[in-house]
Amino acid sequence: QELTAKIAIIERNKTNVIELKNTLQQLQNAIISINSRIDQAKERSSELEDCFSEIRQADKNNLFPWRVD
């Protein structure tokens, strides 16, 4: 009886460990996905900053004659 109960406990623990491992893997995958999206957003932000910088420079050089102050 006691041995059977201990085996059952070990089996439950094993199942819990496997479930925890799977949950941790899902969490890791989610973090990787979020980091990838952050990197993409940073890249896009940098591209927009470059674009705005070019527009400001063109404005300083009066390349927008139709602009009204």
Side-chain angles (χ1 to χ4, degrees):
Q1 285 285 0
E2 187 177 328
L3 182 59
T4 303
K6 287 183 179 183
I7 290 172
I9 290 170
I10 291 170
E11 287 296 325
R12 279 196 306 274
N13 288 343
K14 180 181 172 186
T15 301
N16 289 340
V17 168
I18 291 170
E19 289 175 2
L20 182 58
K21 181 180 175 185
N22 290 338
T23 301
L24 289 173
Q25 183 63 52
Q26 291 173 349
L27 181 59
Q28 183 180 17
N29 291 343
I31 290 169
I32 290 170
S33 177
I34 290 168
N35 285 338
S36 175
R37 290 181 184 190
I38 289 171
D39 290 343
Q40 290 173 355
K42 285 180 180 178
E43 184 176 329
R44 181 66 179 137
S45 176
S46 177
E47 291 170 0
L48 289 172
E49 286 176 11
D50 292 345
C51 182
F52 286 135
S53 178
E54 290 174 11
I55 291 170
R56 282 193 294 273
Q57 188 61 43
D59 189 37
K60 284 181 182 178
N61 294 333
N62 293 320
L63 297 178
F64 299 121
W66 60 86
R67 183 171 182 243
V68 177
D69 286 328

PDB file of all heavy atoms in Angstrom, residues 10 23 28 30 38 42 53:
ATOM      1  N   ILE A  10       4.899   9.992  -7.081  1.00  0.00           N
ATOM      2  CA  ILE A  10       5.994  10.223  -8.020  1.00  0.00           C
ATOM      3  C   ILE A  10       5.451  10.437  -9.437  1.00  0.00           C
ATOM      4  O   ILE A  10       5.917  11.316 -10.156  1.00  0.00           O
ATOM      5  CB  ILE A  10       7.000   9.048  -7.971  1.00  0.00           C
ATOM      6  CG1 ILE A  10       7.747   9.065  -6.632  1.00  0.00           C
ATOM      7  CG2 ILE A  10       7.970   9.104  -9.141  1.00  0.00           C
ATOM      8  CD1 ILE A  10       8.576   7.819  -6.371  1.00  0.00           C
ATOM      9  N   THR A  23       4.909  24.581 -20.083  1.00  0.00           N
ATOM     10  CA  THR A  23       4.502  25.969 -19.826  1.00  0.00           C
ATOM     11  C   THR A  23       5.688  26.915 -19.965  1.00  0.00           C
ATOM     12  O   THR A  23       5.573  27.991 -20.562  1.00  0.00           O
ATOM     13  CB  THR A  23       3.876  26.094 -18.423  1.00  0.00           C
ATOM     14  OG1 THR A  23       2.744  25.226 -18.342  1.00  0.00           O
ATOM     15  CG2 THR A  23       3.451  27.517 -18.129  1.00  0.00           C
ATOM     16  N   GLN A  28       8.806  30.938 -22.993  1.00  0.00           N
ATOM     17  CA  GLN A  28      10.026  31.294 -23.712  1.00  0.00           C
ATOM     18  C   GLN A  28       9.701  31.676 -25.157  1.00  0.00           C
ATOM     19  O   GLN A  28      10.226  32.661 -25.685  1.00  0.00           O
ATOM     20  CB  GLN A  28      11.017  30.136 -23.688  1.00  0.00           C
ATOM     21  CG  GLN A  28      12.341  30.468 -24.373  1.00  0.00           C
ATOM     22  CD  GLN A  28      13.312  29.297 -24.345  1.00  0.00           C
ATOM     23  OE1 GLN A  28      12.930  28.152 -24.103  1.00  0.00           O
ATOM     24  NE2 GLN A  28      14.572  29.575 -24.604  1.00  0.00           N
ATOM     25  N   ALA A  30       6.902  32.881 -26.265  1.00  0.00           N
ATOM     26  CA  ALA A  30       6.208  34.174 -26.234  1.00  0.00           C
ATOM     27  C   ALA A  30       7.203  35.315 -26.062  1.00  0.00           C
ATOM     28  O   ALA A  30       7.085  36.360 -26.722  1.00  0.00           O
ATOM     29  CB  ALA A  30       5.167  34.190 -25.113  1.00  0.00           C
ATOM     30  N   ILE A  38       9.582  43.816 -30.795  1.00  0.00           N
ATOM     31  CA  ILE A  38      10.252  45.027 -30.291  1.00  0.00           C
ATOM     32  C   ILE A  38      11.371  45.429 -31.250  1.00  0.00           C
ATOM     33  O   ILE A  38      11.516  46.610 -31.585  1.00  0.00           O
ATOM     34  CB  ILE A  38      10.785  44.802 -28.863  1.00  0.00           C
ATOM     35  CG1 ILE A  38       9.621  44.739 -27.877  1.00  0.00           C
ATOM     36  CG2 ILE A  38      11.765  45.907 -28.471  1.00  0.00           C
ATOM     37  CD1 ILE A  38      10.018  44.297 -26.481  1.00  0.00           C
ATOM     38  N   LYS A  42      11.638  48.911 -33.279  1.00  0.00           N
ATOM     39  CA  LYS A  42      12.805  49.782 -33.188  1.00  0.00           C
ATOM     40  C   LYS A  42      13.345  50.094 -34.582  1.00  0.00           C
ATOM     41  O   LYS A  42      13.717  51.230 -34.871  1.00  0.00           O
ATOM     42  CB  LYS A  42      13.897  49.128 -32.342  1.00  0.00           C
ATOM     43  CG  LYS A  42      13.634  49.144 -30.859  1.00  0.00           C
ATOM     44  CD  LYS A  42      14.774  48.472 -30.111  1.00  0.00           C
ATOM     45  CE  LYS A  42      14.541  48.459 -28.623  1.00  0.00           C
ATOM     46  NZ  LYS A  42      15.631  47.764 -27.899  1.00  0.00           N
ATOM     47  N   SER A  53      14.228  63.230 -40.524  1.00  0.00           N
ATOM     48  CA  SER A  53      15.465  63.998 -40.591  1.00  0.00           C
ATOM     49  C   SER A  53      15.693  64.522 -42.005  1.00  0.00           C
ATOM     50  O   SER A  53      16.084  65.682 -42.201  1.00  0.00           O
ATOM     51  CB  SER A  53      16.642  63.129 -40.149  1.00  0.00           C
ATOM     52  OG  SER A  53      17.850  63.831 -40.242  1.00  0.00           O
TER      53      SER A  53
END
